[in-house]
Amino acid sequence: VQLQASGGGLVQAGGSLRLSCAVSGGTLDHYAIAWFRQAPGKEREGVSSIRKGDRKTVYNNSVKGRFTISRDNAKNTFYLQMNALKSEDTAVYYCATTSGNPIFSNMLRPTTYEVWGQGTKVTVST
């Protein structure tokens, strides 16, 4: 399976962006999915994730109420809607999948996921 992330760009603080991650070579419904981000000089951190099957979601506390993760199995694509963006959201965003179904405490751990997209850069200006 391969992932192709898109949708990043430059946006003013308070604005919105929607990131997309297109899945090829596999059926999205068979995977748990996640978004991560990595700011310059910082470790990669989990942003949000959806399990397969029960579709339970989890969010990093820093994005709760502002970001929404979703999946469209018919289009084999998943998304991250980002609203009320802040300068601290500036990072390269990565999408990732796993064929497993992680327990809640592992959903935002990078080591949980086997397949990664190439990253899309989000820059929030003040």
Side-chain angles (χ1 to χ4, degrees):
V1 63
Q2 292 184 322
L3 307 179
Q4 179 71 44
S6 62
L10 174 64
V11 63
Q12 287 189 331
S16 298
L17 281 175
R18 189 177 79 156
L19 305 183
S20 301
C21 185
V23 178
S24 59
T27 303
L28 179 59
D29 197 38
H30 295 171
Y31 300 95
I33 60 173
W35 288 97
F36 289 80
R37 66 186 180 186
Q38 189 164 18
K42 294 189 176 181
E43 292 187 353
R44 190 168 298 190
E45 67 171 355
V47 175
S48 184
S49 172
I50 302 181
R51 283 165 47 95
K52 60 181 178 181
D54 60 19
R55 306 288 180 93
K56 285 189 175 180
T57 61
V58 65
Y59 291 92
N60 187 305
N61 285 337
S62 66
V63 306
K64 277 182 182 177
R66 300 188 298 121
F67 290 12
T68 303
I69 190 171
S70 62
R71 57 195 298 162
D72 186 335
N73 289 339
K75 295 183 177 180
N76 240 26
T77 301
F78 59 102
Y79 306 95
L80 184 69
Q81 178 67 44
M82 306 186 295
N83 299 328
L85 283 161
K86 304 176 181 180
S87 59
E88 51 263 45
D89 296 319
T90 294
V92 177
Y93 284 71
Y94 299 89
C95 52
T97 62
T98 176
S99 57
N101 213 17
I103 60 175
F104 183 84
S105 59
N106 288 340
M107 289 174 70
L108 293 182
R109 294 180 187 274
T111 54
T112 297
Y113 299 87
E114 302 107 28
V115 181
W116 292 80
Q118 85 287 6
T120 184
K121 188 173 182 180
V122 173
T123 303
V124 183
S125 64
T126 55

